Structure formats: C-alpha cells, structure tokens
Amino acid sequence: MNLLVTGGAGFIGSHFVLRHVAQFPSDRIVVLDKLTYAADRSLLDPVADRITFVQGDIGDVEVVAKLLLEHKLDTIVNFAAETHVDRSIQNAIPFLQSNVVGVQALIEVMRAAPKGLRMLHISTDEVYGDLEDDEPPKHVGDALHPSSPYAASKAAGEMLLMAACRTYKLPIAITRCTNNYGPHQAGEKLIPTIIRRAMANQPIPIYGQGKNKRDWLYVSDHCDALEVVLKTSGAFQACGTFNIGADSEQENIAVAKTVLQALGKPESLISFVEDRPGHDWRYAIDSAPIRNLGWKPKVRFEDGIQKTVEWYKERL
C-alpha cells in the first residue's frame, strides 16, 4: 500500500504512522497535516527519513490531488479532524470546516482520481449518542443520535461518505472507535489533564460527580484494528463500517484515581466541577464484527495508564 495519512502528526495518526512504517517498511507514506494546536510534527521524527511530510489542509483539493498523483498513492487514511467536545461547544465552526467540509473535499478528490483509490475514515462512537446503564451496546446499524457539536460534525461527515459510496460507488470504509488514550495525546483531553495537574499538585477538575462512563481503548490497539480493516478487501465495499472498542468501561472518577495511583498522588487532588452542557452519560459499542476478523485489544487499562504516565513524566 502507498498511503496518504491525513492528520498524521496528531495523537492517533502519529501512532499509526510510526507503527505502519515499522511493520510495512516497503510502503510509501505521505503525511498531510495542518499542524494545529493538537498536532506535533516532532512525534514523527523517528521516521522522518522514511516518510514525506506536507503541511496542508484536507480542504485544499488541489494539494491533496497533487500528492496522490505525484506519489502514486492508493489509500487515504483520514485522521484529520477537530475532536474536543468542550471546544465544539464554545465554537462549532472549525469542527464543521474540518469534519464536514474537509470530508467532502476528500470525496471530491476521490471522484476525480483514477479508479482504485480508497479511503479509510476514522470516526467516533460519539455519533451514536449516549446510553443508560442498563442499555445494550450500540451496533453499526443503529441510528446516529449525536449530542455535542463535535459528534454532530463527525456524524455529518459519515453521512456524506455513505452518500458518496452509494452515489459514486467509491471504496470507503468507516471505523468508530471508543475513547483513545496513550502517549502523544493533546493536553486538553481528560487523561493528559489529570497527569499534568497531578504532577503539579494542582486540583483535578472532574465534571459532575465523575460517574459518566467511557470505554477506554489504548491507542496502539486502535492502530492494530485499523490495519486489520486495511487488509480486509471486503471492508471497502458498500461503505463498510466497524466499531472498535476495548470493552473496558470506566467511570471518569475511576480513571482519575487510577492515574493518581500510578503517579503516587493523593485522591484529595480531585475537584468536582459543574457538569458540561449535554454531557453524554455512557458509551458502549459492539465490536464483534472486527473481532471476528482476528483483532482484539491487548493492553489492559491499568497497564496502558502506566505507559501513558511514564511518557508524560519524561516530557513535563
């Protein structure tokens, strides 16, 4: 495969690039990243001589089309997105630009490209909306009920992709993952925030009573699942969609306590703050289809937290 990895200097994208280069050294990789606040080009330094890096926007159709042609790329892996719920509540416009308009720009590039170009689009379980404690996990065919502007923008992008699959017969696959964690993550996210503030002995803000639940997926396990999708030929027919989850639900308060324990810090640092608007209660998804393809998560939550803590301790 010869890949265009958009958003490849971000959290999940950088892990994907590093792992793919190590596993498939003969593949050509071009990384396209806008280098916003959540990206860090230095994360790719270990493979800088084995990839081509271009600073740019997925919304720039001419740039994307030129890269595909010049480097003879056959697959787009689209990580490029605005992803932080709190920021989307404050101002949704950048989310619409990246997650909706940007996705449509990639569709237009695919329409004009020679046959054979395919795209793997990385989405989120948040498009389903939330669940009560006694409700079963969401399946791929379930309706989308996004709660936040961020989730709505990701759902809108998916809808455009589904329409493109049907109207233009484009080979596209979509993955919906649960909450990722691990090294490289932007500092505004929950686990990096807990680590950073705990190391500085500052209060750790937890929304509400910390009872909201998320399924936590270590980033390398997510990347492994994406590789499974990429090598599954039927995945790109009729907009194949896959849930990727770890079946490791944790209350936010439990996450905070696990991080504090790994750092040797007291739980007294936890400070409950006013809940955010429209805060989803619980996410849970059924990952059986991708597990049936041979994938399963390998990293236990506690072990992943320890790895994450060690990475941030070296850099803070």
Side-chain angles (χ1 to χ4, degrees):
M1 289 181 286
N2 294 327
L3 309 178
L4 175 65
V5 182
T6 65
F11 168 38
I12 306 172
S14 60
H15 278 278
F16 175 84
V17 171
L18 295 173
R19 291 172 70 79
H20 194 91
V21 168
Q23 294 172 0
F24 306 98
S26 63
D27 285 2
R28 183 179 302 131
I29 293 185
V30 177
V31 172
L32 177 67
D33 199 295
K34 196 175 178 180
L35 292 182
T36 61
Y37 74 95
D40 182 355
R41 183 175 176 177
S42 70
L43 296 171
L44 301 175
D45 284 350
V47 295
D49 61 338
R50 299 170 65 184
I51 66 172
T52 299
F53 182 88
V54 177
Q55 183 174 352
D57 191 336
I58 59 171
D60 192 332
V61 172
E62 291 185 4
V63 167
V64 176
K66 184 178 179 182
L67 290 174
L68 293 171
L69 183 63
E70 287 185 353
H71 296 275
K72 297 180 173 60
L73 307 177
D74 52 60
T75 303
I76 300 172
V77 185
N78 183 37
F79 294 97
E82 292 284 345
T83 64
H84 193 48
V85 172
D86 287 356
R87 284 179 180 265
S88 78
I89 292 172
Q90 295 167 5
N91 181 11
I93 292 175
F95 291 76
L96 299 177
Q97 189 63 42
S98 294
N99 303 350
V100 182
V101 177
V103 168
Q104 185 61 42
L106 292 177
I107 290 171
E108 297 304 325
V109 169
M110 291 189 72
R111 289 182 61 198
K115 287 187 177 180
L117 176 65
R118 61 182 189 160
M119 179 163 69
L120 173 58
H121 175 75
I122 288 70
S123 190
T124 170
D125 63 346
E126 296 190 40
V127 298
Y128 292 116
D130 61 354
L131 293 165
E132 297 297 330
D133 289 336
D134 60 350
E135 290 187 279
K138 291 291 187 179
H139 294 76
V140 163
D142 289 342
L144 307 186
H145 291 289
S147 303
S148 69
Y150 157 62
S153 69
K154 292 295 286 187
E158 284 197 31
M159 296 282 187
L160 290 171
L161 292 168
M162 293 175 190
C165 287
R166 175 160 180 169
T167 303
Y168 307 117
K169 311 301 181 188
L170 298 179
I172 295 170
I174 297 171
T175 57
R176 298 170 180 157
C177 67
T178 55
N179 280 45
N180 276 219
Y181 71 105
H184 306 183
Q185 194 167 26
E188 66 192 3
K189 300 289 188 172
L190 177 63
I191 289 176
T193 295
I194 297 170
I195 295 171
R196 184 180 67 254
R197 295 186 71 87
M199 289 181 63
N201 295 310
Q202 296 175 343
I204 297 165
I206 299 295
Y207 285 129
Q209 295 301 309
K211 297 296 185 180
N212 302 71
K213 299 178 181 67
R214 301 292 183 266
D215 176 24
W216 291 93
L217 176 68
Y218 193 67
V219 62
S220 64
D221 283 335
H222 183 194
C223 292
D224 288 345
L226 297 177
E227 294 289 1
V228 169
V229 175
L230 284 171
K231 72 179 183 182
T232 301
S233 59
F236 293 84
Q237 297 174 4
C239 222
T241 304
F242 300 85
N243 287 336
I244 304 174
D247 292 341
S248 180
E249 289 186 48
Q250 306 278 340
E251 291 184 347
N252 288 346
I253 186 66
V255 172
K257 290 179 178 180
T258 301
V259 174
L260 289 170
Q261 184 177 16
L263 287 166
K265 297 289 185 176
E267 293 180 8
S268 59
L269 288 174
I270 295 172
S271 175
F272 296 107
V273 299
E274 182 180 355
D275 210 354
R276 73 181 177 207
H279 196 180
D280 284 341
W281 179 250
R282 169 181 171 248
Y283 301 137
I285 57 177
D286 174 31
S287 300
I290 195 164
R291 290 173 187 250
N292 290 338
L293 294 175
W295 173 84
K296 65 178 180 179
K298 301 174 183 176
V299 181
R300 293 175 58 249
F301 180 69
E302 294 77 9
D303 295 337
I305 288 294
Q306 189 63 50
K307 292 180 181 181
T308 305
V309 164
E310 293 303 320
W311 188 84
Y312 281 100
K313 283 173 66 175
E314 294 177 1
R315 288 159 178 80
L316 294 177

